[in-house]
């Protein structure tokens, strides 16, 4: 694969491909010309048929050589996807363990040398498999997670989550009506199964202290910037398509004829807009159904589809159940790999967090608040 941002590399790469294909074409054509039995295939056909067939055949043969390995690799990747998925769900178990540690740390019931500020938990969220201060997953936790996956009403897509360590959001998910989607399904299942919900039973002592110092810094910055919050300075943009603004302008500044035409257009346009929205919704649903069928078609196994009044819902439920069973079966395998990796001191592949710069800004904001409060600029509070 060539970097298209480097045209010279791309051009030379394409030239190399052409030279290779031309060389192979001549080589293979010579081999077939000398091969016994081939001429007999074309005896009863017009002159030139052999040449045209071999030219077409060799083109295909070159494609097989070029793309065959790639197709095999894609097939192997499809098989590997379930291993990757199982590791993601193994990570969900660790996220819950990390979140409970966060609740304890915020309640000042534990100290963790790798944690300086609350935001550090969000840093470790992105590299949870390598987190050094989480206890190893147990076999009981694996079995509990398998039970979680095998719930009849579970949609496997609903287990995907972003914001595993969002303490504020998850607490709101439990305490504010309509925000339950902030709570990962696994967390809720685990809490109900164990009878423990640390985010509700433990006070966020550390978080309140950090907020106190951060607020001092923000208030100070507001004062020296004449009341302008440099972090949340509003940007005023004129919305030329605002429907209320357009209607106000028409009824305030335009003549009666234009106003009448506007309201006639508005009435018809609303009908047309609704039709378009209905068509768009149908297109989205059809695309989702097509993608689901394509996923199922790529599987090496048959998928049991439960009975249902709605065929589309039956397909979705059947595929979700298939995925849950597949991941549940693979969990013990990746669990053993996880234990081996941990015990040998190796690390899992990861990307450096993109949140490190933000994390350092938050830390400095807290330290500045300490200075403004006449305290030592450290995190010993």
């Amino acid at each position: 694969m060539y970097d298209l941002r480097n045209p010279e590399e791309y051009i030379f790469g394409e030239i190399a491909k052409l030279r290779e294909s031309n060389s192979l074409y001549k080589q293979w054509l010579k081999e077939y010309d000398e091969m016994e039995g081939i001429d007999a295939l074309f005896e009863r056909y017009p002159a030139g048929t052999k040449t045209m067939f071999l030219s077409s055949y060799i083109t295909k043969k070159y494609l097989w050589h070029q793309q065959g390995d790639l197709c095999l690799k894609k097939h192997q990747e499809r098989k590997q996807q379930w291993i990757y998925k199982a590791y993601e769900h193994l990570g969900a178990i660790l996220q819950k363990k990390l979140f409970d540690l966060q609740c304890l740390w915020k309640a000042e019931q534990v100290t963790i040398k790798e944690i300086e500020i609350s935001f550090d938990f969000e840093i470790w969220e992105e590299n949870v498999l390598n987190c050094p201060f989480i206890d190893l997953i147990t076999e009981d936790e694996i079995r509990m997670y398998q039970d979680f996956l095998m719930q009849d009403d579970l949609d496997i897509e609903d287990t995907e989550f972003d914001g595993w360590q969002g303490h504020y959001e998850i607490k709101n998910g439990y305490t504010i009506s309509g925000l339950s989607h902030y709570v990962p399904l696994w967390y809720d299942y685990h809490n109900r199964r164990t009878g423990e919900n640390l985010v509700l039973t433990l006070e966020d002592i550390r978080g309140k202290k950090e907020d106190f110092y951060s607020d001092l810094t923000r208030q100070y910055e507001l004062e020296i910037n004449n009341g302008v919050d440099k972090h949340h300075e509003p940007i005023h943009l004129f919305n030329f398509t605002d429907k209320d603004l357009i209607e106000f302008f028409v009824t305030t500044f335009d003549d009666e004829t234009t106003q009448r035409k506007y309201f006639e257009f508005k009435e018809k346009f609303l009908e047309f807009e609704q039709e378009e929205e209905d068509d768009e919704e149908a297109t989205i649903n059809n695309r989702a159904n097509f993608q689901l069928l394509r996923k199922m078609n790529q599987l090496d196994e048959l998928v049991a589809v439960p009975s249902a009044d709605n065929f589309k819902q039956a397909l979705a439920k059947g595929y979700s159940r298939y995925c849950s069973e597949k991941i549940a079966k693979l969990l013990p395998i990746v669990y053993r790999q996880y234990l081996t990796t941990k015990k040998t001191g190796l690390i899992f592949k990861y990307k450096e967090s993109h949140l490190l710069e933000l994390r350092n800004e938050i830390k400095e904001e807290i330290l500045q608040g300490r200075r403004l409060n006449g305290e030592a600029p450290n995190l010993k509070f």
Side-chain angles (χ1 to χ4, degrees):
M1 182 64 68
Y2 298 102
D3 187 351
L4 296 182
R5 292 169 298 182
N6 186 343
E8 187 175 285
E9 179 187 359
Y10 173 74
I11 291 169
F12 282 124
E14 292 301 302
I15 291 172
K17 286 182 184 178
L18 289 172
R19 285 176 175 166
E20 180 190 24
S21 64
N22 187 49
S23 174
L24 285 173
Y25 179 86
K26 291 177 180 178
Q27 175 190 329
W28 288 337
L29 186 60
K30 182 175 183 295
E31 290 173 357
Y32 291 130
D33 275 337
E34 297 172 354
M35 198 173 292
E36 294 182 7
I38 288 184
D39 287 342
L41 291 174
F42 303 96
E43 286 177 351
R44 61 192 182 95
Y45 296 101
T49 300
K50 173 186 173 183
T51 301
M52 287 189 292
F53 170 78
L54 287 178
S55 178
S56 173
Y57 179 81
I58 289 172
T59 300
K60 292 182 177 67
K61 181 176 178 178
Y62 181 73
L63 182 66
W64 301 334
H65 278 258
Q66 287 292 309
Q67 302 296 328
D69 290 343
L70 179 62
C71 292
L72 178 61
K73 182 181 179 183
K74 285 186 176 180
H75 179 70
Q76 291 171 339
E77 285 176 350
R78 283 177 187 166
K79 289 188 173 182
Q80 284 290 331
Q81 71 170 320
W82 298 109
I83 295 293
Y84 301 145
K85 286 286 184 185
Y87 264 108
E88 287 177 8
H89 286 265
L90 196 75
I93 299 175
L94 290 169
Q95 294 287 2
K96 172 59 174 161
K97 293 166 77 71
L98 179 61
F99 184 75
D100 285 348
L101 269 178
Q102 180 182 177
C103 294
L104 291 167
W105 185 86
K106 280 176 165 289
E108 298 188 340
Q109 293 192 11
V110 296
T111 56
I112 304 170
K113 68 176 183 179
E114 292 87 356
I115 299 294
E116 287 190 310
I117 59 176
S118 297
F119 197 77
D120 285 336
F121 286 99
E122 297 191 36
I123 301 294
W124 281 110
E125 173 185 336
E126 298 184 341
N127 189 17
V128 72
L129 284 169
N130 291 313
C131 188
F133 53 85
I134 304 176
D135 291 338
L136 291 175
I137 296 172
T138 66
E139 291 185 5
D140 286 342
E141 288 169 326
I142 292 292
R143 284 191 286 268
M144 186 193 299
Y145 198 87
Q146 288 175 314
D147 292 343
F148 163 70
L149 287 173
M150 300 314 297
Q151 296 174 98
D152 287 335
D153 59 345
L154 180 72
D155 185 339
I156 193 67
E157 290 189 358
D158 291 340
T159 63
E160 297 177 5
F161 200 77
D162 185 26
W164 295 97
Q165 300 306 315
H167 186 275
Y168 175 79
E169 293 79 8
I170 291 171
K171 186 166 187 176
N172 284 344
Y174 275 113
T175 57
I176 300 177
S177 176
L179 297 183
S180 60
H181 57 280
Y182 285 141
V183 180
L185 294 181
W186 163 237
Y187 286 16
D188 193 47
Y189 178 88
H190 187 283
N191 291 339
R192 286 186 283 108
R193 179 91 170 245
T194 61
E196 290 185 345
N197 191 342
L198 299 184
V199 75
L200 290 180
T201 57
L202 296 178
E203 185 181 357
D204 183 9
I205 300 172
R206 184 72 181 189
K208 290 177 181 177
K209 291 179 179 179
E210 290 179 353
D211 288 345
F212 170 75
Y213 293 121
S214 293
D215 288 343
L216 287 178
T217 299
R218 294 185 189 126
Q219 185 60 41
Y220 171 75
E221 289 178 349
L222 279 174
E223 291 173 1
I224 64 174
N225 289 295
N226 298 318
V228 177
D229 187 345
K230 68 176 184 178
H231 299 291
H232 302 95
E233 187 173 353
I235 300 174
H236 301 287
L237 299 175
F238 194 91
N239 185 357
F240 293 89
T241 61
D242 185 279
K243 294 177 182 178
D244 293 334
L245 172 64
I246 292 172
E247 185 161 319
F248 168 78
F249 195 92
V250 169
T251 55
T252 305
F253 301 107
D254 254 312
D255 55 66
E256 291 183 4
T257 302
T258 302
Q259 292 177 21
R260 178 171 52 81
K261 292 289 185 183
Y262 165 76
F263 285 107
E264 288 175 357
F265 172 81
K266 179 182 177 182
E267 181 182 355
K268 296 298 181 186
F269 183 76
L270 285 174
E271 294 176 7
F272 174 72
E273 195 175 46
Q274 185 59 51
E275 290 175 2
E276 275 204 330
E277 287 179 2
D278 293 342
D279 290 342
E280 185 177 355
E281 185 177 353
T283 300
I284 292 171
N285 289 333
N286 288 335
R287 189 182 299 124
N289 293 328
F290 174 76
Q291 290 174 344
L292 175 59
L293 287 170
R294 187 176 63 178
K295 287 178 182 178
M296 295 175 75
N297 190 48
Q298 291 173 347
L299 300 174
D300 296 328
E301 304 166 281
L302 294 176
V303 176
V305 177
S307 60
D309 296 332
N310 186 311
F311 176 68
K312 296 174 184 177
Q313 290 178 355
L315 281 179
K317 189 171 180 62
Y319 181 70
S320 176
R321 184 70 175 184
Y322 171 85
C323 294
S324 292
E325 290 176 351
K326 197 82 172 174
I327 294 166
K329 288 178 182 177
L330 285 172
L331 266 179
I333 296 174
V334 297
Y335 172 59
R336 289 194 292 272
Q337 294 174 351
Y338 153 82
L339 287 179
T340 300
T341 302
K342 284 293 189 180
K343 290 175 180 177
T344 54
L346 299 174
I347 62 172
F348 294 93
K349 186 177 179 180
Y350 72 98
K351 293 181 181 179
E352 186 171 321
S353 174
H354 66 286
L355 298 173
L356 288 175
E357 185 176 348
L358 175 60
R359 180 261 182 204
N360 291 334
E361 290 177 2
I362 293 171
K363 177 182 175 181
E364 181 53 38
E365 192 174 65
I366 295 169
L367 294 177
Q368 176 66 1
R370 296 267 292 168
R371 295 187 192 97
L372 291 169
N373 205 42
E375 301 176 68
N378 57 43
L379 297 170
K380 298 177 180 179
F381 54 85

